[in-house]
Amino acid sequence: MQTFEMITKMGHEQVVFFSDPSCNLKAIIAIHDTTLGPALGGTRMWPYASEAEALEDVLRLSRGMTYKAAISGLNLGGGKAVIIGDPRKDKSEALFRAYGRFVESLNGRYISAEDVNITVDDVEQIFLETNMVTGVPLIHGGSGNPAPYTALGVFRGMEAACFKVFGNRELKDRTVAVQGVGSVGFELSLLLRDAGAKILFTDVSEENIKRMKEACPQAQFVDVNEIHKQACDVFAPCALGAAINDQSIEELKCRIVCGAANNQLKEDKHGLELKKRNILYAPDYLINAGGLMNVSIEFEGWSDSKSRRMIDKIFETTLDIFKVSDEKNIATNEAADFLAEERIESIKKIKTSYLGNVLHRFPGRKNRMQ
Ligand code: NAD
């Protein structure tokens, strides 16, 4: 497919390629939709096999951010960036500062943050050149590590799913199988532990398994290939995407799928497959939006309580999605898309009227009302 064809097909507004050979920077920033506000999304660094692969990734990811911001009630658009390179070899101060200068040149249309292989230290260097970056260290007035906030959102989504399936939001005595106890999975497990849930967990990292055993001694370790097969109330994918696929879906013995991982459904059709099996799916891009909500308030002055108050609303929004799914008899992932698109379209409509300020054409002339 030709580049413009790809961009048009997915509905992007702008895709910008940046290059600075002096520091080996090759970056693409994709701005998908700014109806609701500036496009906010993280920067990913990855040794893509080809430029086409990098472009495809940034287009897909930025579109996902539009939906995530819209469903979360944020006044933000969707954007994402990729830096083509090997994070182990190609990172340098010059590269991140050059990148920051390019972000600045977009005049606030795109706001960056951490994503895969981009650390808080990298963000600190981007921040030297532009204010249009979030996930800045606490010491600079930023919001720091997003994982506890992402986990809180997943927990609220899980409460909503329990409310729908069991008639109350309590996690006490519910069995939750957590796949992956990395940054978010671990924080989620702490919330589950404190709520009195029974935790089953797995991971491939010895270090993270050890940390989990120390923090949650009651939690039971399960083999990595067995976790999704456990008889449980909730299966919580918190590692990689595509946890729900043709094979795993046949082996699930849970009532709810609700976790932090992005793109949990290998294909959209798996949402409907879950519905047919009477397994309630809490759509990933809403319930893992706590991290985005957290960084979104950096510009107005971040505070822990403001962030948590915002994230708590994921409970109600998740219930709204379940309601639309029931009313329209569609899968919950489709219901989430429906509500996100509906919000964007409704805001687009109110922007059609001209508001009557022509003074920008006559810079010297004062408004008669002044
Ligand atoms: P992470 O890398 O800290 O944790 C992932 C964990 O999964 C690691 O402990 C890793 O060892 C483990 N893992 C890898 N392969 C596995 C396998 N096959 N089976 C079981 N465990 C396996 O990442 P994270 O920041 O916790 O993010 C987890 C997921 O949540 C990702 O999909 C990420 O995109 C998504 N997410 C994260 C955030 C955030 O705030 N960090 C926000 C939104 C979405």
Side-chain angles (χ1 to χ4, degrees):
M1 207 187 285
Q2 297 291 312
T3 306
F4 271 108
E5 210 181 324
M6 273 170 86
I7 294 170
T8 314
K9 194 172 164 217
M10 292 176 79
H12 286 77
E13 290 175 11
Q14 186 178 13
V15 181
V16 197
F17 290 70
F18 294 112
S19 147
D20 188 335
S22 75
C23 54
N24 220 0
L25 173 71
K26 284 187 205 154
I28 313 174
I29 296 178
I31 297 175
H32 178 253
D33 189 299
T34 57
T35 305
L36 300 176
L40 196 155
T43 300
R44 177 170 293 197
M45 187 167 191
W46 195 259
Y48 291 100
S50 67
E51 287 167 18
E53 197 184 284
L55 178 62
E56 205 181 318
D57 208 25
V58 78
L59 291 179
R60 187 179 57 82
L61 292 166
S62 54
R63 184 174 183 276
M65 292 307 294
T66 297
Y67 281 77
K68 188 186 280 243
I71 195 74
S72 305
L74 298 172
N75 294 313
L76 291 171
K80 203 89 178 182
V82 294
I83 295 177
I84 303 173
D86 183 339
R88 286 167 306 171
K89 292 190 295 202
D90 299 330
K91 285 189 177 183
S92 67
E93 180 192 349
L95 179 132
F96 286 117
R97 292 188 65 167
Y99 175 68
R101 294 171 73 85
F102 285 132
V103 170
E104 180 68 13
S105 75
L106 293 174
N107 206 23
R109 273 178 56 73
Y110 168 70
I111 301 167
S112 190
E114 290 92 351
D115 196 68
V116 177
N117 291 327
I118 297 293
T119 65
V120 175
D121 290 343
D122 302 331
V123 159
E124 203 169 1
Q125 290 182 330
I126 298 170
F127 186 54
L128 288 172
E129 301 291 343
T130 181
N131 280 327
M132 296 303 144
V133 61
T134 56
V136 170
L138 284 170
I139 195 164
H140 298 309
S143 59
N145 177 16
Y149 300 94
T150 304
L152 177 63
V154 176
F155 188 78
R156 293 283 175 256
M158 210 177 275
E159 288 180 313
C162 285
F163 186 76
K164 166 90 175 130
V165 172
F166 305 114
N168 70 69
R169 66 189 283 175
E170 295 298 311
L171 262 306
K172 189 168 168 16
D173 297 328
R174 298 260 165 246
T175 304
V176 182
V178 184
Q179 183 183 48
V181 286
S183 309
V184 184
F186 177 70
E187 294 288 343
L188 175 66
S189 299
L190 298 184
L191 295 173
L192 290 168
R193 176 199 66 186
D194 295 347
K198 183 172 176 231
I199 305 170
L200 311 174
F201 77 99
T202 196
D203 204 292
V204 289
S205 151
E206 286 305 326
E207 200 183 328
N208 289 350
I209 293 170
K210 184 166 170 276
R211 175 177 65 169
M212 183 68 189
K213 283 182 174 164
E214 282 165 10
C216 306
Q218 308 293 332
Q220 188 186 326
F221 177 78
V222 176
D223 182 81
V224 77
N225 298 314
E226 300 294 319
I227 190 80
H228 65 281
K229 302 178 192 168
Q230 300 301 307
C232 58
D233 296 306
V234 186
F235 172 49
C238 296
L240 312 168
I244 308 298
N245 52 51
D246 283 345
Q247 193 205 326
S248 66
I249 208 164
E250 300 287 345
E251 297 166 335
L252 294 176
K253 292 192 201 76
C254 57
R255 295 293 315 279
I256 293 165
V257 173
C258 176
N262 277 313
N263 305 318
Q264 285 167 40
L265 305 177
K266 180 145 195 251
E267 296 168 64
D268 280 351
K269 68 165 189 182
H270 292 118
L272 196 56
E273 289 295 318
L274 286 174
K275 184 173 166 61
K276 282 185 193 155
R277 287 169 164 78
N278 204 21
I279 296 174
L280 184 64
Y281 172 61
D284 50 11
Y285 69 77
L286 166 68
I287 63 159
N288 73 16
L292 175 66
M293 292 178 171
N294 189 50
V295 294
S296 77
I297 54 171
E298 273 187 27
F299 285 95
E300 58 191 66
W302 180 84
S303 83
D304 178 76
S305 55
K306 214 190 286 180
S307 180
R308 285 175 190 276
R309 189 165 167 262
M310 211 172 175
I311 294 167
D312 284 346
K313 294 198 178 120
I314 289 180
F315 178 82
E316 278 83 23
T317 314
T318 310
L319 289 180
D320 289 344
I321 290 173
F322 295 154
K323 192 158 169 260
V324 170
S325 159
D326 284 345
E327 282 168 2
K328 295 188 175 295
N329 195 22
I330 54 176
T332 52
N333 53 313
E334 280 179 72
D337 289 356
F338 173 83
L339 285 174
E341 284 164 11
E342 189 180 58
R343 178 164 180 240
I344 294 168
E345 286 312 310
S346 69
I347 300 303
K348 227 174 231 169
K349 281 185 194 141
I350 65 159
K351 289 186 178 174
T352 54
S353 313
Y354 176 61
L355 293 183
N357 181 2
V358 290
L359 286 180
H360 63 281
R361 296 184 60 193
F362 310 103
R365 198 184 292 178
K366 282 226 160 94
N367 188 326
R368 271 185 295 149
M369 303 298 285
Q370 284 173 337

